[in-house]
Amino acid sequence: MGSKNCMNDVCREPASSEWRKGWTLKSGGFATLCYRCGSAYENSVFCETFHLEESGWRECRICGKRIHCGCIASRYVHEYMDFGGVGCITCLKHLEVHSEQSLQIPSNVSNDRVSINGIKDVHPVVVDNGIDGDKFSGRRLLQLAKVTGAIDSCSGLGQLTHDDPLRKTRQSSKRIPNPTQQNSPSTFFQTDNSKPREGIQNIYEPLALPSLNFSLTTPSSSSATNLPFPGGIAEGSEQCKGSLRQALNILLKPPKPSPTVGSEINKGTVSQARVARPPAEGRGRNQLLPRYWPRITDQELQQLSGDLKSNIVPLFEKVLSASDAGRIGRLVLPKACAEAFFPLINQSEGIPIMIQDMTGKEWTFQFRFWPNNNSRMYVLEGVTPCIQNMQVQAGDTVTFSHIEPGGQLVIGCRKAINNGDAQDSQTLASTSGDSPGGTSFSGTNGNLLSNGGKTSGDSLQQSISEKKKAKNIKNKRLLMHTDDATELRITWEEAQELLRPFPTAEPTVVVVEDHEFEEFEEPPIFGKRPIYTSGPSEEQDQLAQCDSCLKWRRLPVHALLSAKWTCSENIWDLKRCSCPAPEEIQPEDLEPFVPSCKDSKRRKVSENKMPKVGEPSGLDALATAAGLGDNISDIAECSVGATTRHPRHRLGCTCIVCIQPPSGKGKHDPTCKCNVCLTVRRRFETLMMRKKKRQSEREAEDSQAKDRASLKIEPAREDIAGDKKGMEADMEEASKGQLDLNCDPHREDEMLAQTAGMSLTTLMSAVAVPLDMFLEPTSAQKQENITFVSADTEGRQQQ
DNA sequence: ATACTGCATGTCAGC
DNA sequence: CTGACATGCAGTATG
């Protein structure tokens, strides 16, 4: 280092206390500047300091600020405007942000010319894809860490420049290092290896990556102009142009229907919602699953857009699985992401790859793959130190970005704020492409093992060991591994026991051939778990524990308890309708009931089956419970006191639901001809006829609406298609004889929504429990969605 | 005994 | 139905 001179021509200082980086060199490196010149460069006063007497000064067309043009030092701080003149990068950035906020991409937009918000004449021609790289400070890098390293590629739409294919080609070609390097993994870090690679100072250090170097452009311009398709671009300008155009098409396409994405963009407002954004360009990046799309809130995006000059391009992110975060130190990379954003590797052993974390610290991982079913499975090996350093664990999200120019990979992380976050987000992401997010320096996604929000590494180990114990656990994407989760788990039968009608729901009683049906428009909710026992007078009653004082109260057997029952609701015993009232039940009285085998069974079940989270209501609760259905028979064997086969079940109940095996086997098969089944089928047919009628009407309306809304964008059409699919699925289910009496043909919208989500039918289908599990022998009690009484039932009871 | 490595396998999301 | 991927597991290396 001692022999080099400052590359500032007017300085040429041979020695410096600290060498700083300047502009990028054609060779891919950076100009070496002495401390003084480097500081000037970093502070954007280089030209003012050293080129003041030179020619080439112009004024920004927007703010009037003086800009030195034609100089390497100011090469990235200005751009040429379409209408002539130059604009400073700051103004253009603002322009871009505003454009992005109100970005509406019409479906018929031309691929060759983007007009955004009527400012097409203003959108700048990017002189170069780089930006003022030296401005990128450690502070900004840390800011990036705060916002998950994400500037979405969409942000570049405001600067899309596709009217100059020659320039694109030139740029692309210019960025092609050496195509032969693609097959030379060992050269991956060849360039600049001699340079110090510590700290943020080096974040621009080019990697000479065969692939990453293709994307040395700001997201704003890169999105359309510089695609890191090593193969394609390297093969020639024509193909390059084709790829570029293809990529542009991709960008101009609205993302898949995503409530968050769509709504946020359409609102044009700053939102805290974490938005899954299409990743930056990359080989086949359009094939990336939305769950891997980098997420960033609009606010974070705006902040970054202002503070950063789009130096960092978010590539993808991944929620750490237990395996990823485990001690094994192998992080499985999504195949598409690995192939899109990481260098091509031909050998299984892969190549070492250097990735910076948000503090500028560099980590070297082995990027490799395993052959897997005629495919590849990409992994990053040796991630444990980095993972530990970032203090992330299973459920948290790691993000991968790269810095431009240079293409240096950056790894970041987001902590999962809570279980739900970790669990939901990816699920949502996988379905809708976004996440509700809400995390500290991130949101998170879910798909994997969640740890219930615990942050210690123990939870991970616990989860691993737990999994070893329960080898049959395969529903890994929904598992919870905390005590909290265990407490929340519930069996199917217990779920039945807790079902209550929606508080404000009024049943509609329908009589079909002497059979009474109670139909509720609202799904049931979970109430408090009762304990049935025999009171002093040998009458049946139930025990309930106050949620407030925890005292047990004796209530009539028919009492229905809300989810959070308190003494104040004890309207049956005015002496004990407040918490201060003494408890009439001794602990020993409860002993036979409370520590029942049900609990132990539940515990056993909970180790093997999916959890129930929170306080679900209605169908969601059933859905959760349904997952536990295969343990019903076991549980029934040791149920205390009364069986609890349906919400209104009481001790001694011998209704059709209770007298048959929980699975329904041997009682009501699909071809059963008993009165109950016949009645239900008739009723269902009636409902379905109405439903079909309304469906045909709706379809007619839809087709008319389609004609009118020919300009409507794709997502809307997909919604309609989704509705149709839902209907078809519903009809298909119906044709299979799976009856969903929880639908109201007069409220088809809701019905369809349920179909799309979780309907009673799908629940029943899932758990293979016959419909009559939901049926009730008397009409006096009003609990379930649908109940009916049949003579056949009576007969069975008497038997 | 423990850690590491490479592959195999089962599950499930997406097509 | 296919492919991606989470994870299990056997074989090997190391302490």
Side-chain angles (χ1 to χ4, degrees), chain A residues 26-42:
Chain A
K26 287 181 180 178
S27 62
F30 290 87
T32 305
L33 301 175
C34 68
Y35 182 82
R36 184 175 66 104
C37 300
S39 298
Y41 186 76
E42 287 185 4

Side-chain angles (χ1 to χ4, degrees), chain A residues 145-148 272-274 295-297 300 317 395-397 413-418 420-422 425 435-445:
Chain A
K146 291 177 186 172
V147 297
T148 317
Q272 295 297 324
R274 194 164 295 284
R295 293 153 203 283
I296 182 172
T297 67
E300 292 166 344
E317 67 179 38
D396 297 336
T397 303
C413 66
R414 288 204 310 262
K415 301 290 287 184
I417 267 189
N418 55 48
D421 189 21
S425 54
S435 147
T439 55
S440 52
F441 137 41
S442 75
T444 185
N445 335 17

